Amino acid sequence: MDIEDLAERILAGERRALARGITLVESGRADHKTMARALLERLRGSGREAMRIGLSGTPGVGKSTFIESFGMMLVAQGLRVAVLAVDPSSARTGGSILGDKTRMERLSRSRQAFIRPSPAQSHLGGVARRTREAIALCEAAGFDVVLIETVGVGQSETVVAEMSDLFLLLLAPAGGDELQGVKRGIMETADIILINKADGDLKATATRTCADYAGALRLLRKRPQDPEGFPKALTVSAALERGLETAWAEINALADWRRETGHFAGRRAEQARFWFEAEVREGLLARLRREPVKGAMAALAAQVEAGQISAELAADELLETYLGESLPT
């Protein structure tokens, strides 16, 4: 594979080259990893920056419908939109339906849009292992907005906040005890809460739900990266395409304020450090899966199972032998 040629085609905005680049960074093969690193390094200085928007929500809330309507609105404004949709995977086979592209029929046909479904596999937060690198490729390809759709709501979902500029939480009205429907960790991460399906018989319920969440948000501790009035709750109807322009205006208002105050660049710098440390941890874990460490670990695990040695002492021995470190006392 000619990495230089692939990089030039990605910079030229070729969607097929972008898809090939994402496939490369998602590959687990050692030779592909080397090429992926070379590709990312080649594109790192492109100077292109997209608005990275994370999106989460409970199953059935209408995330795909929202993304399609929202994406079509942005395309109509002349913007290029990339969607990185992460689908749930089978814990047994790692397989995934990858149905998001099918559900976003209109957006998938637009020349100004790019949709890439990926299996979540076992990675926490419903984010594919290399979603962060896929975002970098989409930015290099000249996309203005990158939407990262995650699997669903859970405490580990906060991982998406470490790769996005803004985090949207999509909720449905009439979901029972609404304020108990979402964990506090997600509430504290969200920048804007969107109550979807605010139409028809559910419109009044959606309005009440929005008021409930607006009140709950005011009780949360003030974050330094928020101007007055944020985070906030809004109502939208993805099916009828209502409230989307208001949501986009609020997203831009928040992003502009963060840029002016330095929070935008500061947050991206913090994220870069977070992912550097994550790569170090992943590299250390990878060493445990290779010989001779893998064999030594299996032997020590057998001794632990037999009660011949404690788990703490076995771990200490393994780390001291292969990493030159002992566990802290």
Side-chain angles (χ1 to χ4, degrees):
M1 185 182 296
D2 188 339
I3 295 300
E4 183 63 29
D5 176 65
L6 182 60
E8 291 296 332
R9 289 166 54 203
I10 290 175
L11 290 170
E14 290 188 25
R15 297 199 300 177
R16 183 173 296 181
L18 175 59
R20 191 177 183 188
I22 294 176
T23 298
L24 183 65
V25 300
E26 288 180 344
S27 174
R29 282 177 43 175
D31 57 335
H32 285 178
K33 288 182 179 180
T34 301
M35 288 188 287
R37 283 194 292 267
L39 176 63
L40 291 165
E41 192 63 26
R42 169 66 178 80
L43 297 173
R44 189 168 58 87
S46 66
R48 297 174 178 176
E49 185 178 275
M51 174 85 78
R52 307 171 185 171
I53 302 176
L55 176 70
S56 184
T58 51
V61 75
K63 291 191 295 293
S64 296
T65 304
F66 172 81
I67 289 175
E68 179 168 61
S69 297
F70 190 66
M72 291 301 295
M73 179 198 69
L74 297 180
V75 166
Q77 296 180 12
L79 299 174
R80 300 184 69 207
V81 180
V83 179
L84 302 177
V86 183
D87 270 9
S89 303
S90 165
R92 306 178 82 182
T93 66
S96 176
I97 296 175
L98 303 177
D100 289 284
K101 197 166 185 176
T102 304
R103 292 195 297 269
M104 302 177 197
E105 185 179 354
R106 286 187 301 147
L107 191 61
S108 64
R109 291 200 304 262
S110 173
R111 299 294 301 173
Q112 295 297 103
F114 174 82
I115 302 176
R116 173 70 181 217
S118 300
Q121 297 175 340
S122 59
H123 193 55
L124 290 178
V127 181
R129 178 69 185 91
R130 292 296 172 185
T131 299
R132 182 175 55 91
E133 286 89 341
I135 293 171
L137 293 180
C138 290
E139 287 187 320
F143 285 90
D144 303 296
V145 178
V146 179
L147 292 166
I148 309 108
E149 178 198 0
T150 61
V151 171
V153 172
Q155 188 65 37
S156 60
E157 200 73 359
T158 53
V159 172
V160 75
E162 297 299 339
M163 60 178 71
S164 59
D165 301 315
L166 292 95
F167 182 69
L168 307 182
L169 180 59
L170 201 64
L171 299 174
D177 188 356
E178 285 86 359
L179 296 184
Q180 294 297 323
V182 180
K183 294 186 178 181
R184 182 181 177 91
I186 299 296
M187 289 281 290
E188 293 175 337
T189 303
D191 294 304
I192 298 176
I193 293 178
L194 300 175
I195 311 301
N196 193 25
K197 303 183 180 180
D199 50 59
D201 295 339
L202 289 176
K203 186 173 182 179
T205 305
T207 302
R208 289 195 301 271
T209 303
C210 182
D212 288 341
Y213 276 107
L217 289 171
R218 285 193 290 269
L219 298 176
L220 296 179
R221 183 179 299 175
K222 181 70 175 177
R223 305 181 305 184
Q225 71 267 31
D226 292 330
E228 192 64 34
F230 283 91
K232 63 175 54 180
L234 304 169
T235 58
V236 297
S237 171
L240 300 182
E241 301 183 1
R242 292 176 182 170
L244 302 181
E245 292 188 358
T246 300
W248 179 235
E250 295 290 356
I251 288 170
N252 279 307
L254 178 57
D256 290 344
W257 185 87
R258 288 179 175 175
R259 287 191 181 96
E260 292 169 2
T261 55
H263 288 291
F264 198 93
R267 181 60 182 148
R268 286 206 169 188
E270 290 175 3
Q271 290 174 347
R273 181 186 181 93
F274 173 89
W275 288 108
F276 159 70
E277 294 175 354
E279 286 298 326
V280 171
R281 289 192 295 271
E282 181 64 26
L284 290 173
L285 290 174
R287 288 186 62 180
L288 297 177
R289 296 189 287 266
R290 295 198 301 264
E291 298 292 357
V293 185
K294 182 179 179 181
M297 190 172 179
L300 286 168
Q303 294 181 41
V304 172
E305 288 179 355
Q308 299 171 355
I309 187 174
S310 69
E312 292 79 10
L313 187 58
D316 192 24
E317 181 179 326
L318 184 75
L319 293 173
E320 191 170 5
T321 301
Y322 292 99
L323 299 180
E325 295 286 343
S326 296
L327 289 174
T329 57

